Amino acid sequence: MNYNPTEEEISFVNNALAKFNDEKVGPDNHILLNIVEYDEDQNIIGGLLGGTYWGWMHIDILWVDEKLRKQGLGTKLIHAAEAEANKRGCHHVHVDTMSWQAPEFYKKLGYKVISELNDIPDGNKKYYLIKEI
């Protein structure tokens, strides 16, 4: 076994799985959905990184500058991403977050917890959430 594969080997494995999936259910048509917000000095103050595929949007990362949290920027980013996902024909969103991050934030926006992993890391949880859009 090779625990340090090359980019070419990683690409091979990714492409092999994509080919298998395409044969079973058709292409996922994954399109990145990335949004960045700036302050008046053009400093990045927040961002959402994710994408859309098979009628779903996924949120990989949502970040808001610590000084600006709880002022609506995260909600603005989520709503903008959901609107764009809806234009792309998406019907649901999925995201995961850690217990010290934003589970309550997502719940306030209508996301429902569908699963939890305990002790990741010890004494904490990882939440998996979805929302119909």
Side-chain angles (χ1 to χ4, degrees), residues 7-24 54:
E7 288 297 321
E8 183 178 297
E9 291 167 324
I10 292 168
S11 181
F12 179 89
V13 173
N14 280 322
N15 291 335
L17 179 59
K19 182 178 183 283
F20 173 81
N21 290 342
D22 288 354
E23 291 169 357
K24 296 295 180 190
W54 285 322

PDB file of all heavy atoms in Angstrom, residues 7-24 54:
ATOM      1  N   GLU A   7      -0.304  13.006  -7.111  1.00  0.00           N
ATOM      2  CA  GLU A   7      -1.510  13.674  -7.608  1.00  0.00           C
ATOM      3  C   GLU A   7      -2.137  12.863  -8.739  1.00  0.00           C
ATOM      4  O   GLU A   7      -3.362  12.778  -8.854  1.00  0.00           O
ATOM      5  CB  GLU A   7      -1.191  15.089  -8.083  1.00  0.00           C
ATOM      6  CG  GLU A   7      -0.885  16.065  -6.961  1.00  0.00           C
ATOM      7  CD  GLU A   7      -2.071  16.288  -6.031  1.00  0.00           C
ATOM      8  OE1 GLU A   7      -3.221  16.368  -6.512  1.00  0.00           O
ATOM      9  OE2 GLU A   7      -1.843  16.370  -4.808  1.00  0.00           O
ATOM     10  N   GLU A   8      -1.309  12.273  -9.564  1.00  0.00           N
ATOM     11  CA  GLU A   8      -1.799  11.444 -10.671  1.00  0.00           C
ATOM     12  C   GLU A   8      -2.562  10.231 -10.144  1.00  0.00           C
ATOM     13  O   GLU A   8      -3.622   9.875 -10.676  1.00  0.00           O
ATOM     14  CB  GLU A   8      -0.617  11.001 -11.544  1.00  0.00           C
ATOM     15  CG  GLU A   8      -1.026  10.200 -12.762  1.00  0.00           C
ATOM     16  CD  GLU A   8       0.176   9.840 -13.621  1.00  0.00           C
ATOM     17  OE1 GLU A   8       0.836  10.770 -14.137  1.00  0.00           O
ATOM     18  OE2 GLU A   8       0.435   8.629 -13.756  1.00  0.00           O
ATOM     19  N   GLU A   9      -2.043   9.592  -9.118  1.00  0.00           N
ATOM     20  CA  GLU A   9      -2.721   8.429  -8.543  1.00  0.00           C
ATOM     21  C   GLU A   9      -4.035   8.833  -7.870  1.00  0.00           C
ATOM     22  O   GLU A   9      -5.052   8.135  -8.007  1.00  0.00           O
ATOM     23  CB  GLU A   9      -1.795   7.731  -7.551  1.00  0.00           C
ATOM     24  CG  GLU A   9      -0.609   7.063  -8.226  1.00  0.00           C
ATOM     25  CD  GLU A   9       0.473   6.647  -7.254  1.00  0.00           C
ATOM     26  OE1 GLU A   9       0.725   7.359  -6.250  1.00  0.00           O
ATOM     27  OE2 GLU A   9       1.103   5.598  -7.515  1.00  0.00           O
ATOM     28  N   ILE A  10      -4.022   9.945  -7.177  1.00  0.00           N
ATOM     29  CA  ILE A  10      -5.246  10.453  -6.552  1.00  0.00           C
ATOM     30  C   ILE A  10      -6.287  10.764  -7.622  1.00  0.00           C
ATOM     31  O   ILE A  10      -7.461  10.418  -7.491  1.00  0.00           O
ATOM     32  CB  ILE A  10      -4.937  11.680  -5.678  1.00  0.00           C
ATOM     33  CG1 ILE A  10      -4.098  11.267  -4.467  1.00  0.00           C
ATOM     34  CG2 ILE A  10      -6.224  12.387  -5.244  1.00  0.00           C
ATOM     35  CD1 ILE A  10      -3.492  12.419  -3.700  1.00  0.00           C
ATOM     36  N   SER A  11      -5.863  11.406  -8.681  1.00  0.00           N
ATOM     37  CA  SER A  11      -6.754  11.728  -9.795  1.00  0.00           C
ATOM     38  C   SER A  11      -7.333  10.457 -10.408  1.00  0.00           C
ATOM     39  O   SER A  11      -8.522  10.401 -10.751  1.00  0.00           O
ATOM     40  CB  SER A  11      -6.002  12.536 -10.847  1.00  0.00           C
ATOM     41  OG  SER A  11      -6.851  12.875 -11.906  1.00  0.00           O
ATOM     42  N   PHE A  12      -6.510   9.431 -10.561  1.00  0.00           N
ATOM     43  CA  PHE A  12      -6.978   8.155 -11.106  1.00  0.00           C
ATOM     44  C   PHE A  12      -8.122   7.597 -10.266  1.00  0.00           C
ATOM     45  O   PHE A  12      -9.159   7.179 -10.796  1.00  0.00           O
ATOM     46  CB  PHE A  12      -5.834   7.137 -11.189  1.00  0.00           C
ATOM     47  CG  PHE A  12      -6.282   5.805 -11.711  1.00  0.00           C
ATOM     48  CD1 PHE A  12      -6.278   5.547 -13.073  1.00  0.00           C
ATOM     49  CD2 PHE A  12      -6.729   4.819 -10.846  1.00  0.00           C
ATOM     50  CE1 PHE A  12      -6.705   4.317 -13.571  1.00  0.00           C
ATOM     51  CE2 PHE A  12      -7.168   3.589 -11.328  1.00  0.00           C
ATOM     52  CZ  PHE A  12      -7.153   3.344 -12.691  1.00  0.00           C
ATOM     53  N   VAL A  13      -7.933   7.566  -8.942  1.00  0.00           N
ATOM     54  CA  VAL A  13      -8.961   7.023  -8.050  1.00  0.00           C
ATOM     55  C   VAL A  13     -10.235   7.866  -8.133  1.00  0.00           C
ATOM     56  O   VAL A  13     -11.352   7.327  -8.243  1.00  0.00           O
ATOM     57  CB  VAL A  13      -8.440   6.925  -6.602  1.00  0.00           C
ATOM     58  CG1 VAL A  13      -9.557   6.534  -5.637  1.00  0.00           C
ATOM     59  CG2 VAL A  13      -7.292   5.922  -6.524  1.00  0.00           C
ATOM     60  N   ASN A  14     -10.097   9.192  -8.097  1.00  0.00           N
ATOM     61  CA  ASN A  14     -11.268  10.074  -8.219  1.00  0.00           C
ATOM     62  C   ASN A  14     -12.011   9.838  -9.528  1.00  0.00           C
ATOM     63  O   ASN A  14     -13.238   9.751  -9.553  1.00  0.00           O
ATOM     64  CB  ASN A  14     -10.854  11.545  -8.116  1.00  0.00           C
ATOM     65  CG  ASN A  14     -10.648  11.989  -6.696  1.00  0.00           C
ATOM     66  OD1 ASN A  14     -11.376  11.591  -5.800  1.00  0.00           O
ATOM     67  ND2 ASN A  14      -9.650  12.830  -6.479  1.00  0.00           N
ATOM     68  N   ASN A  15     -11.287   9.752 -10.623  1.00  0.00           N
ATOM     69  CA  ASN A  15     -11.906   9.541 -11.929  1.00  0.00           C
ATOM     70  C   ASN A  15     -12.565   8.169 -12.030  1.00  0.00           C
ATOM     71  O   ASN A  15     -13.625   8.022 -12.660  1.00  0.00           O
ATOM     72  CB  ASN A  15     -10.888   9.733 -13.050  1.00  0.00           C
ATOM     73  CG  ASN A  15     -10.463  11.180 -13.185  1.00  0.00           C
ATOM     74  OD1 ASN A  15     -11.192  12.087 -12.812  1.00  0.00           O
ATOM     75  ND2 ASN A  15      -9.264  11.398 -13.704  1.00  0.00           N
ATOM     76  N   ALA A  16     -11.947   7.162 -11.433  1.00  0.00           N
ATOM     77  CA  ALA A  16     -12.531   5.818 -11.457  1.00  0.00           C
ATOM     78  C   ALA A  16     -13.868   5.801 -10.718  1.00  0.00           C
ATOM     79  O   ALA A  16     -14.845   5.205 -11.195  1.00  0.00           O
ATOM     80  CB  ALA A  16     -11.563   4.807 -10.847  1.00  0.00           C
ATOM     81  N   LEU A  17     -13.940   6.457  -9.573  1.00  0.00           N
ATOM     82  CA  LEU A  17     -15.203   6.522  -8.836  1.00  0.00           C
ATOM     83  C   LEU A  17     -16.236   7.343  -9.607  1.00  0.00           C
ATOM     84  O   LEU A  17     -17.405   6.956  -9.689  1.00  0.00           O
ATOM     85  CB  LEU A  17     -15.003   7.101  -7.436  1.00  0.00           C
ATOM     86  CG  LEU A  17     -16.291   7.211  -6.608  1.00  0.00           C
ATOM     87  CD1 LEU A  17     -16.947   5.845  -6.422  1.00  0.00           C
ATOM     88  CD2 LEU A  17     -16.016   7.879  -5.285  1.00  0.00           C
ATOM     89  N   ALA A  18     -15.826   8.460 -10.189  1.00  0.00           N
ATOM     90  CA  ALA A  18     -16.756   9.283 -10.975  1.00  0.00           C
ATOM     91  C   ALA A  18     -17.339   8.477 -12.132  1.00  0.00           C
ATOM     92  O   ALA A  18     -18.543   8.552 -12.410  1.00  0.00           O
ATOM     93  CB  ALA A  18     -16.056  10.539 -11.482  1.00  0.00           C
ATOM     94  N   LYS A  19     -16.507   7.682 -12.797  1.00  0.00           N
ATOM     95  CA  LYS A  19     -16.970   6.841 -13.912  1.00  0.00           C
ATOM     96  C   LYS A  19     -18.001   5.824 -13.416  1.00  0.00           C
ATOM     97  O   LYS A  19     -19.056   5.642 -14.031  1.00  0.00           O
ATOM     98  CB  LYS A  19     -15.786   6.131 -14.564  1.00  0.00           C
ATOM     99  CG  LYS A  19     -16.153   5.264 -15.756  1.00  0.00           C
ATOM    100  CD  LYS A  19     -14.891   4.649 -16.372  1.00  0.00           C
ATOM    101  CE  LYS A  19     -15.196   3.840 -17.606  1.00  0.00           C
ATOM    102  NZ  LYS A  19     -15.762   2.533 -17.335  1.00  0.00           N
ATOM    103  N   PHE A  20     -17.712   5.189 -12.298  1.00  0.00           N
ATOM    104  CA  PHE A  20     -18.643   4.227 -11.713  1.00  0.00           C
ATOM    105  C   PHE A  20     -19.983   4.897 -11.390  1.00  0.00           C
ATOM    106  O   PHE A  20     -21.049   4.387 -11.735  1.00  0.00           O
ATOM    107  CB  PHE A  20     -18.028   3.607 -10.450  1.00  0.00           C
ATOM    108  CG  PHE A  20     -18.980   2.729  -9.692  1.00  0.00           C
ATOM    109  CD1 PHE A  20     -19.203   1.414 -10.080  1.00  0.00           C
ATOM    110  CD2 PHE A  20     -19.647   3.216  -8.580  1.00  0.00           C
ATOM    111  CE1 PHE A  20     -20.073   0.604  -9.380  1.00  0.00           C
ATOM    112  CE2 PHE A  20     -20.527   2.415  -7.871  1.00  0.00           C
ATOM    113  CZ  PHE A  20     -20.746   1.098  -8.269  1.00  0.00           C
ATOM    114  N   ASN A  21     -19.917   6.052 -10.714  1.00  0.00           N
ATOM    115  CA  ASN A  21     -21.134   6.774 -10.346  1.00  0.00           C
ATOM    116  C   ASN A  21     -21.920   7.187 -11.585  1.00  0.00           C
ATOM    117  O   ASN A  21     -23.145   7.059 -11.619  1.00  0.00           O
ATOM    118  CB  ASN A  21     -20.801   8.007  -9.505  1.00  0.00           C
ATOM    119  CG  ASN A  21     -20.307   7.649  -8.124  1.00  0.00           C
ATOM    120  OD1 ASN A  21     -20.505   6.530  -7.651  1.00  0.00           O
ATOM    121  ND2 ASN A  21     -19.659   8.585  -7.475  1.00  0.00           N
ATOM    122  N   ASP A  22     -21.233   7.708 -12.589  1.00  0.00           N
ATOM    123  CA  ASP A  22     -21.894   8.125 -13.834  1.00  0.00           C
ATOM    124  C   ASP A  22     -22.656   6.966 -14.466  1.00  0.00           C
ATOM    125  O   ASP A  22     -23.767   7.145 -14.972  1.00  0.00           O
ATOM    126  CB  ASP A  22     -20.881   8.673 -14.838  1.00  0.00           C
ATOM    127  CG  ASP A  22     -20.322  10.030 -14.450  1.00  0.00           C
ATOM    128  OD1 ASP A  22     -20.796  10.620 -13.460  1.00  0.00           O
ATOM    129  OD2 ASP A  22     -19.400  10.493 -15.156  1.00  0.00           O
ATOM    130  N   GLU A  23     -22.057   5.788 -14.438  1.00  0.00           N
ATOM    131  CA  GLU A  23     -22.700   4.606 -15.018  1.00  0.00           C
ATOM    132  C   GLU A  23     -23.943   4.194 -14.237  1.00  0.00           C
ATOM    133  O   GLU A  23     -24.902   3.677 -14.811  1.00  0.00           O
ATOM    134  CB  GLU A  23     -21.709   3.447 -15.084  1.00  0.00           C
ATOM    135  CG  GLU A  23     -20.593   3.657 -16.095  1.00  0.00           C
ATOM    136  CD  GLU A  23     -19.469   2.639 -15.983  1.00  0.00           C
ATOM    137  OE1 GLU A  23     -19.510   1.770 -15.074  1.00  0.00           O
ATOM    138  OE2 GLU A  23     -18.520   2.723 -16.797  1.00  0.00           O
ATOM    139  N   LYS A  24     -23.956   4.446 -12.936  1.00  0.00           N
ATOM    140  CA  LYS A  24     -25.085   4.038 -12.087  1.00  0.00           C
ATOM    141  C   LYS A  24     -26.219   5.057 -12.091  1.00  0.00           C
ATOM    142  O   LYS A  24     -27.380   4.683 -12.172  1.00  0.00           O
ATOM    143  CB  LYS A  24     -24.626   3.807 -10.638  1.00  0.00           C
ATOM    144  CG  LYS A  24     -23.644   2.679 -10.479  1.00  0.00           C
ATOM    145  CD  LYS A  24     -24.282   1.348 -10.821  1.00  0.00           C
ATOM    146  CE  LYS A  24     -23.287   0.219 -10.659  1.00  0.00           C
ATOM    147  NZ  LYS A  24     -23.775  -1.036 -11.179  1.00  0.00           N
ATOM    148  N   TRP A  54     -26.357  16.809  -8.162  1.00  0.00           N
ATOM    149  CA  TRP A  54     -27.502  15.914  -8.061  1.00  0.00           C
ATOM    150  C   TRP A  54     -28.696  16.541  -7.337  1.00  0.00           C
ATOM    151  O   TRP A  54     -29.402  15.892  -6.572  1.00  0.00           O
ATOM    152  CB  TRP A  54     -27.129  14.610  -7.370  1.00  0.00           C
ATOM    153  CG  TRP A  54     -26.340  13.649  -8.195  1.00  0.00           C
ATOM    154  CD1 TRP A  54     -26.492  13.384  -9.525  1.00  0.00           C
ATOM    155  CD2 TRP A  54     -25.289  12.807  -7.738  1.00  0.00           C
ATOM    156  NE1 TRP A  54     -25.599  12.433  -9.941  1.00  0.00           N
ATOM    157  CE2 TRP A  54     -24.840  12.062  -8.845  1.00  0.00           C
ATOM    158  CE3 TRP A  54     -24.680  12.612  -6.510  1.00  0.00           C
ATOM    159  CZ2 TRP A  54     -23.819  11.132  -8.757  1.00  0.00           C
ATOM    160  CZ3 TRP A  54     -23.659  11.686  -6.427  1.00  0.00           C
ATOM    161  CH2 TRP A  54     -23.238  10.956  -7.535  1.00  0.00           C
TER     162      TRP A  54
END
